[in-house]
Amino acid sequence: MGRKRGTERTTAQVDTGCAELVPDPDRPGAYTLLLDGAPQSHVDLTDPTHLEFEYVRRMAAAIDLIAPPGAPLRVLHLGGGALTLPRYVAVTRPGSTQRAVEVDGALVELVRQALPWPTDARLRVRVGDARQVVESTRDATVDLVVADVFAGARTPAHLTSVEFAAQVARVLAPGGHYLLNVADGPPLRHARAQVATVRSVLPRAALVVDAAVLRGRRYGNLVLLAGRTDLPVTALTRRAAGDWFPGRVVADDELDRFVGGATPVPDSTATASVPPPEGIFRR
């Protein structure tokens, strides 16, 4: 499973870099997963509904609101990490059928050993490429696709194109949703292009974002929820505003203004997301 560095953390070389599991000093049974120093996941094995990262709480709020409370969902998670959201869904929507896709097989094994998930959670974890798994999934068989995929702190280019978004739309049930974590910094060109790309196939969309990130003051995470039907914008706005770190919800005309002149990105010109500023994850 790796080697101990002192008594505080476990380190292991995995396929995509150096993984570290760091105990949370404030929450017994909780850990942060880092890859090459970049935080990837925080999980609380005692209480999977505790979500430390603000963008993950925003994604969880969207998951809470897209279907009646407690109703099971068919979920495809792209990007596994320590399985924070799959564990959350298993508790808040018991009976949900979930698949999680993670490209790093050694990381999956590390998490399986050090942070095991309940065997009765109806959760299957598959080692593979996110796009290939989506392309092999049958039409209209998924209620929710959650995309939180990073390699070297950047989302790979082949997961940012309109062709990929069309594949996501294809596997979604008619009332299904796509929930996407977009990381970007000023002037948010990548985020604007991603909203344009996703809306070209799933026209109803809303963005949940920190005000400072939205104003181009810093690098951060933007959470995009999209589908074919009306979204719970009012309820999502209340949840975002009431968070420990309040967020803004951008929808309708305001989202049009955010996108501006950005256009959908095809495979031929797709690029990986913007890298984070140097030193942003320095501890």
Side-chain angles (χ1 to χ4, degrees):
M1 187 177 69
R3 59 183 176 82
K4 297 287 184 181
R5 196 173 73 190
T7 59
E8 296 185 349
R9 63 185 71 211
T10 299
T11 65
Q13 193 65 35
V14 295
D15 299 336
T16 54
C18 179
E20 298 177 85
L21 293 175
V22 184
D24 186 331
D26 299 317
R27 299 186 68 87
Y31 299 83
T32 300
L33 167 67
L34 302 99
L35 277 177
D36 289 336
Q40 297 291 317
S41 307
H42 180 281
V43 293
D44 189 325
L45 301 182
T46 304
D47 178 12
T49 66
H50 175 80
L51 304 173
E52 191 72 17
F53 296 170
E54 61 190 61
Y55 87 88
V56 177
R57 292 196 300 274
R58 292 166 184 169
M59 297 182 89
I63 295 172
D64 289 346
L65 296 169
I66 59 174
L73 295 173
R74 298 168 296 176
V75 188
L76 175 59
H77 299 268
L78 306 178
L83 304 174
T84 304
L85 282 175
R87 298 172 199 261
Y88 178 86
V89 171
V91 171
T92 60
R93 295 186 176 276
S96 293
T97 301
Q98 301 188 82
R99 287 188 295 153
V101 183
E102 170 59 56
V103 73
D104 190 327
L107 178 61
V108 170
E109 190 57 31
L110 173 66
V111 172
R112 190 190 308 275
Q113 292 185 36
L115 308 173
W117 54 92
T119 57
D120 60 351
R122 301 185 70 180
L123 167 63
R124 290 187 295 128
V125 181
R126 175 175 173 179
V127 176
D129 175 78
R131 180 158 174 170
Q132 291 177 359
V133 171
V134 171
E135 290 175 343
S136 66
T137 300
R138 290 179 297 159
D139 294 2
T141 55
V142 178
D143 298 312
L144 173 65
V145 173
V146 180
D148 189 9
V149 184
F150 289 88
R154 303 178 70 181
T155 300
H158 70 300
L159 304 181
T160 68
S161 71
V162 69
E163 289 88 348
F164 173 68
Q167 287 295 316
V168 170
R170 177 186 59 79
V171 306
L172 287 175
H177 295 85
Y178 184 28
L179 185 59
L180 172 66
N181 175 31
V182 181
D184 200 8
L188 298 178
R189 291 192 187 95
H190 175 74
R192 298 178 204 277
Q194 283 301 283
V195 174
T197 297
V198 171
R199 287 209 305 178
S200 69
V201 293
L202 296 168
R204 309 295 296 185
L207 198 64
V208 190
V209 57
D210 182 89
V213 175
L214 182 63
R215 293 169 185 159
R217 294 179 180 172
R218 67 174 179 85
Y219 181 94
N221 298 95
L222 303 91
V223 171
L224 178 63
L225 176 66
R228 301 181 179 93
T229 58
D230 288 344
L231 303 179
V233 172
T234 300
L236 190 58
T237 300
R238 286 197 296 267
R239 283 283 295 268
D243 189 66
W244 312 337
F245 296 95
R248 284 272 317 277
V249 174
V250 181
D252 303 320
D253 293 344
E254 189 178 7
L255 192 59
D256 291 337
R257 291 192 294 272
F258 173 81
V259 173
T263 58
V265 179
D267 275 335
S268 58
T269 59
T271 60
S273 64
V274 176
E278 185 177 353
I280 192 172
F281 302 126
R282 186 174 295 132
R283 292 159 288 155

